[in-house]
Amino acid sequence: MNKNFSINTSLLEWLARSKGFLDTGSILQDLKYSYENICNSKKGRKIKTWAKKNGKKCVDGSICNNVEFKDLRDSDIAFGHIISQNWSKSFTYLLNKVNHPDNLYLSCKKCNSSLSDNFPNKGLKNKIYLEGTIGDWLRSSREEIKKI
């Protein structure tokens, strides 16, 4: 078995078991907070503002050294995909989940671009899990985010 495939398979399994990702009863399931609905939108700006107010940092940090979002303009904060949009085309069962909030996280624009179509390495995957996906933040702080 190809080493990259086993790493990618474990990432897919981790994401599938992630908090709420496959929860069809979840408020997130209707995808009001999908990538298409938050990228460059009022909802997306509210999430970024909430992250700034709550001391969130770029979880990747490979280029920016984990810059705090409060020190960045909104245009320099990106919604990253754990499983990339292009990679999901290889696993067609993921096409309807790739833009789900549980597959999204915040990073600085530079670090997000450096990941490109690659999967996060184990260290970054663990940081995202600990820091939370957009879905995690919405489940824990949805009302607070909406009020911004």
Side-chain angles (χ1 to χ4, degrees), residues 40 48 52 72-78 108-109:
N40 300 316
K48 291 176 182 181
K52 289 176 180 183
L72 297 175
R73 297 173 302 173
D74 281 358
S75 60
D76 291 326
I77 302 172
C108 77
K109 196 174 188 178

Side-chain angles (χ1 to χ4, degrees), residues 27-28 32-33 137-147:
I27 195 158
L28 304 176
K32 289 181 182 175
Y33 288 92
W137 293 354
L138 289 167
R139 273 187 291 283
S140 67
S141 305
R142 183 172 176 263
E143 291 306 314
E144 186 182 343
I145 292 169
K146 282 176 63 175
K147 289 178 185 176

Side-chain angles (χ1 to χ4, degrees), residues 74-92:
D74 281 358
S75 60
D76 291 326
I77 302 172
F79 290 98
H81 288 81
I82 298 169
I83 296 175
S84 77
Q85 293 171 314
N86 286 337
W87 185 256
S88 70
K89 294 174 187 170
S90 299
F91 292 91
T92 54

